[in-house]
Amino acid sequence: MAKSKADAAVLPHEQNSMAIIAPIVGWLVPGAGHLIQRRWVRGAILLTCVAAMFVLGILMQGKVYGPNGGDLLDMLGFVGDLGAGCLYLVTRMMDWGQGAIQLASADYGTKFIIVAGLLNVISAVDAYDIAIGKKE
Amino acid sequence: MQLSHFTAAIIFSFFASIVFGVTQRTTRDDMVRYGAKCFVYFVVGTILAGWAMWVVKR
């Protein structure tokens, strides 16, 4: 009885810390929020899909948005790009991607990069749901 | 790297559907089923939108 009380006292604390760490780690590195919770396959799948979309977007010469205070769509593009976490930060540091769209198909690349960021946000939220026990 | 519009849309649909399946469902079977459903919706929606634009253009 005493043991179960101790377990009950420890579990919420562990869950709380994981509920904070998992989405942050999941945002920084796609799929990592699942990997640190031992959801190996899901984490690997999410990492592969998000990274593949992001890299394909860069290879298609898509535009990478920087912080800006101009057009609303540009600001939303930045928010979407930022969702990719470290992928976006590394891309900005290495100055990859295009500043302006020069090809018709490059517009798809721009969308690939933005959607990769948004999908990463969804996976970070999923990692949070797992951490709080809302999802297995 | 230059892809055709349709190829780009298919690749987009493929990866987005997988992420939707993994994040929006709990069991493995449900994930596969939901991912496949999303992929079909994406592709059919792309084709329908293409034809709709063709009609608008005429």
Side-chain angles (χ1 to χ4, degrees), chain A residues 42 45-46 49 52-53 56 59-60 105 108 112 115 119 122-123 126 135, chain B residues 1-3 5 8 11-12 15-16 18-20 22-26 31:
Chain A
R42 286 189 225 175
I45 289 171
L46 292 172
C49 290
M53 278 196 80
L56 280 171
L59 292 175
M60 290 162 74
S105 63
Y108 272 108
F112 269 56
V115 172
L119 291 175
I122 292 175
S123 61
D126 189 53
K135 187 180 174 185
Chain B
M1 181 182 186
Q2 288 194 46
L3 302 174
H5 291 263
I11 293 172
F12 179 98
F15 288 124
I18 291 174
V19 175
F20 284 169
V22 170
T23 57
Q24 304 301 312
R25 292 294 182 270
T26 305
M31 287 177 187

Side-chain angles (χ1 to χ4, degrees), chain A residues 14-26:
Chain A
E14 286 178 351
Q15 280 183 343
N16 283 342
S17 61
M18 187 56 81
I20 295 167
I21 293 167
I24 293 172
V25 172

Side-chain angles (χ1 to χ4, degrees), chain A residues 23 26 28-30 35 61 70 75 79 85 87 99-100 105 109 112 117 121 123 135:
Chain A
L28 282 172
V29 180
L35 293 175
Q61 301 178 33
M75 288 191 276
V79 172
L87 290 173
S105 63
F112 269 56
V121 172
S123 61
K135 187 180 174 185

